[in-house]
Amino acid sequence: MTEELSKQLCLLVQKDLWRMEVLRATRTLNLPDAWVGGGFIRSCIWDHLAKYEKPTLIDDVDVVYFDTQDMDEESEKKYDAVLRDLLPNVVWSCKNQARMHLKFGAGKPYQSTEDGLRHWLETPTATAVRLDKNDKLHVLAPFGLEDLFAMRLVPTPYALR
């Protein structure tokens, strides 16, 4: 991933008050290896590149994390509810990547949130950000950011299986 594209992504997310509010809310959960990704990122970048005046509505906000100590799907629903209390107009989707291999029949357990993202279907949505306690944004993009910024829908190797 190029440093320049990563900086660009961070600047665009930082300028978006709603996205920053979502990231702050997510941070309150203090989940291990937690990130917000998928359409949350793709729409931000593509709307900017397409020069849309109004942001594209996204179906849900994907919060992904990695916790081998709590593989209960009910915990994910509880996190959704906590976030819904903080931002009721957001459709939340918290998913523990430590159990997603079971849900999708992927065989071996994922080793991290990044490993989970590698199993998503397309490279531009297999991108996530998180806000640390010092309000610094971090980018996670196992396939880089080139496809995202080129507005290319490219299947991941997992999608081609």
Side-chain angles (χ1 to χ4, degrees), residues 131-150:
L131 191 63
D132 71 18
K133 64 182 177 181
N134 298 315
D135 281 345
K136 182 178 180 197
L137 275 175
H138 300 268
V139 177
L140 181 63
F143 299 105
L145 296 170
E146 290 76 13
D147 292 336
L148 175 65
F149 277 89

Side-chain angles (χ1 to χ4, degrees), residues 63-80:
V63 176
V64 290
Y65 65 99
F66 192 82
D67 187 356
T68 58
Q69 302 304 307
D70 182 3
M71 305 265 285
D72 189 354
E73 185 176 0
E74 288 305 308
S75 295
E76 296 169 0
K77 293 176 184 174
K78 288 177 192 170
Y79 297 137
D80 288 341

Side-chain angles (χ1 to χ4, degrees), residues 120-127 141-148 152-157:
W120 288 19
L121 296 179
E122 57 199 40
T123 61
T125 56
T127 303
F143 299 105
L145 296 170
E146 290 76 13
D147 292 336
L148 175 65
R152 275 192 303 257
L153 217 52
V154 177
T156 65

Side-chain angles (χ1 to χ4, degrees), residues 47-63:
D47 286 355
H48 168 76
L49 294 171
K51 297 181 180 12
Y52 288 171
E53 289 184 28
K54 289 184 177 180
T56 300
L57 297 176
I58 56 175
D59 295 333
D60 61 10
V61 171
D62 295 306
V63 176

Side-chain angles (χ1 to χ4, degrees), residues 77-145:
K77 293 176 184 174
K78 288 177 192 170
Y79 297 137
D80 288 341
V82 169
L83 291 169
R84 206 170 27 254
D85 286 344
L86 292 172
L87 294 174
N89 294 329
V90 175
V91 177
W92 295 96
S93 179
C94 294
K95 297 291 183 234
N96 184 357
Q97 299 303 290
R99 68 173 205 86
M100 287 299 105
H101 70 288
L102 299 170
K103 183 174 181 174
F104 296 115
K108 296 185 337 185
Y110 304 158
Q111 301 302 305
S112 63
T113 300
E114 181 174 1
D115 192 26
L117 286 179
R118 283 189 190 99
H119 289 81
W120 288 19
L121 296 179
E122 57 199 40
T123 61
T125 56
T127 303
V129 295
R130 74 171 161 206
L131 191 63
D132 71 18
K133 64 182 177 181
N134 298 315
D135 281 345
K136 182 178 180 197
L137 275 175
H138 300 268
V139 177
L140 181 63
F143 299 105
L145 296 170

Side-chain angles (χ1 to χ4, degrees), residues 9-28:
L9 187 152
C10 289
L11 286 172
L12 290 170
V13 170
Q14 287 168 332
K15 288 188 338 189
D16 188 312
L17 299 178
W18 177 77
R19 281 183 170 76
M20 290 302 292
E21 189 176 25
V22 164
L23 289 166
R24 285 187 190 96
T26 303
R27 181 176 60 190
T28 67

